Amino acid sequence: MEQDIANLETEITAEIAAAADLAALEGIRVSSLGKKGRVTGLMKGMGKMTPDERREMGPKLNGLKVTIAAVIAARRDVLDGEALNARLTSETLDMSLPPVPRAMGTVHPISQVMDEIAEIFASLGFDVAEGPDLEDDFHNFTALNIPPEHPARQMHDTFYLRPDANGERKLLRTHTSPVQIRTMIAQEPPIRIIAPGRTYRSDSDATHTPMFHQVEGLVIDKSTHLGHLKGCLEAFLKAFFEVDAVTLRFRPSYFPFTEPSMEVDVKCSFKGGTVKIGEGDDWLEILGCGMVNRKVLEACELDPEIYQGFAFGCGIDRLAMLKYGMNDLRAFFDADGRWLKHYGFKAFDAPTIAGGLSR
Ligand code: PHE
């Protein structure tokens, strides 16, 4: 009997060592420790033993069972490791490969222009601020010196939502100027921000869409003046249109939230059906601006005897059309794949001042 145990251990251990894979190992486990297995068979034989033999052989048989189980477990670890290594070498995924070109989308010209604008103003020391598309009356109008009876409210063709439980009517912001208010309430001057984003007015034709994009600029400090406004806009437009000379015309205008207020035109040429900046004798209006009205500063609890500054608001869609030569604004929002393929930008070419804004 003792010899049987020793032989069986040698035999099974050799089989285990030779098992080539997990399935073979499982076969050996069943044929040795399973219900009809060899070790189990020996244990069954204990029933015929005398009590003395059983006392001697019992622990030995049990020891065999434990040993075989341990050898199987050890071999399983080795085979598991080998199986994993085999999978790791056969299933490769090269993360450095670029995606298949035909599956790659393009960056929409508006996103591109927004990135370009943020890049230029970042180099001038501006932060990017944001506000909600869904505004309230206070931020979109009242704090901007547009009281309820003011005619400018009609000018804005506002989309209103149904009144809420408190009777308050939210609206889709008609311009990015409410971000001026949110910024001045939230932070102490000096303030230097731009706020690009979506804006909404009930208006639709070749040059107007109900949703469009603006970028707001706001600078508040103790001695910021109109000269700074002019210099800032000139630096921005030169960098944006990537031309050395941009001629600007500041025309007196009116906005409730700035005093004095101006509209800015760029000198350009319309010859040949395309707009060219930096040449010609035509003028194209591109933005509104002015010195922040003291009533606006007061609405934000800033002391107009201490602080002053300028603001501007510029249509991003208009800038994109000018720079990249599209002539129908509505195409921006048609989501036509062919148009995007033609006018879109490569996703991996992020605009930078050093590397060039557009290429
Ligand atoms: N908010 C104005 C508009 O949408 C533009 C503007 C902004 C004008 C800031 C002056 C200063 O027309």
Side-chain angles (χ1 to χ4, degrees):
M1 186 73 178
E2 238 184 302
Q3 195 50 46
D4 288 347
I5 293 176
N7 289 346
L8 202 52
E9 183 173 332
T10 322
E11 181 187 315
I12 298 176
T13 318
E15 283 176 27
I16 294 171
D21 53 34
L22 289 164
L25 186 65
E26 178 61 9
I28 297 163
R29 190 191 65 79
V30 172
S31 76
S32 48
L33 303 178
K35 256 190 205 146
K36 292 177 184 158
R38 288 163 284 177
V39 178
T40 320
L42 274 188
M43 290 185 103
K44 276 182 191 153
M46 285 211 301
K48 294 186 200 115
M49 292 175 186
T50 64
D52 277 348
E53 284 173 324
R54 208 178 293 148
R55 202 170 301 122
E56 198 202 327
M57 295 315 291
K60 294 199 168 142
L61 272 171
N62 214 41
L64 171 66
K65 195 176 149 188
V66 171
T67 307
I68 299 295
V71 177
I72 290 178
R75 182 69 185 147
R76 182 175 293 127
D77 280 349
V78 173
L79 291 174
D80 270 339
E82 282 176 7
L84 180 63
N85 276 337
R87 270 189 64 192
L88 285 175
T89 42
S90 66
E91 296 174 11
T92 52
L93 186 61
D94 186 349
M95 304 294 277
S96 67
L97 276 180
V100 184
R102 76 185 145 76
M104 192 161 62
T106 58
V107 174
H108 195 284
I110 292 179
S111 303
Q112 167 78 17
V113 165
M114 281 190 174
D115 289 349
E116 291 179 19
I117 293 172
E119 181 66 19
I120 296 168
F121 278 103
S123 79
L124 298 174
F126 285 65
D127 288 331
V128 174
E130 280 181 320
D133 289 15
L134 211 53
E135 265 297 1
D136 53 38
D137 200 274
F138 174 78
H139 292 92
N140 196 81
F141 291 127
T142 312
L144 286 161
N145 191 31
I146 313 177
E149 71 285 359
H150 199 285
R153 292 207 177 193
Q154 265 76 59
M155 271 162 51
H156 279 213
D157 302 313
T158 313
F159 286 115
Y160 285 99
L161 276 76
R162 275 192 220 100
D164 63 15
N166 308 321
E168 199 204 335
R169 259 193 330 171
K170 283 269 167 81
L171 51 88
L172 290 172
R173 65 178 180 188
T174 56
H175 50 180
T176 42
S177 300
V179 187
Q180 285 187 37
I181 303 300
R182 292 185 177 274
T183 307
M184 284 188 275
I185 289 175
Q187 77 189 63
E188 287 284 313
I191 292 171
R192 213 180 280 142
I193 57 119
I194 56 160
R198 294 183 212 275
T199 47
Y200 308 83
R201 288 181 205 178
S202 180
D203 205 350
S204 188
D205 59 39
T207 52
H208 296 90
T209 48
M211 189 280 291
F212 56 106
H213 300 84
Q214 284 192 337
V215 58
E216 193 81 7
L218 176 71
V219 174
I220 302 287
D221 208 336
K222 290 185 177 156
S223 57
T224 305
H225 55 69
L226 213 138
H228 295 131
L229 168 59
K230 274 186 84 171
C232 173
L233 290 176
E234 249 167 46
F236 161 54
L237 293 167
K238 242 189 237 175
F240 180 75
F241 287 112
E242 300 177 65
V243 291
D244 290 336
V246 188
T247 310
L248 299 182
R249 182 168 74 179
F250 288 76
R251 270 183 297 108
S253 184
Y254 173 77
F255 298 103
F257 32 91
T258 45
E259 181 60 35
S261 303
M262 287 155 296
E263 275 171 320
V264 179
D265 306 329
V266 272
K267 202 168 189 180
C268 62
S269 125
F270 289 121
K271 283 204 187 77
T274 52
V275 203
K276 284 216 179 73
I277 306 289
E279 42 189 89
D281 285 313
D282 300 306
W283 295 96
L284 193 88
E285 184 199 322
I286 53 161
L287 59 86
C289 62
M291 299 305 292
V292 177
N293 193 309
R294 56 184 294 139
K295 289 202 176 148
V296 175
L297 295 170
E298 279 162 1
C300 301
E301 287 172 21
L302 291 181
D303 185 349
E305 298 304 323
I306 300 176
Y307 294 116
Q308 60 182 33
F310 65 79
F312 61 87
C314 181
I316 289 180
D317 317 83
R318 180 56 89 82
L319 286 184
M321 288 169 79
L322 275 175
K323 181 163 177 182
Y324 295 112
M326 305 100 170
N327 45 26
D328 192 339
L329 180 62
R330 287 168 296 195
F332 276 132
F333 309 113
D334 284 344
D336 183 332
R338 294 160 303 175
W339 186 90
L340 279 170
K341 205 170 167 210
H342 182 76
Y343 286 109
F345 292 81
K346 285 207 199 91
F348 293 118
D349 286 346
T352 62
I353 298 281
L357 291 174
S358 62
R359 261 168 312 148

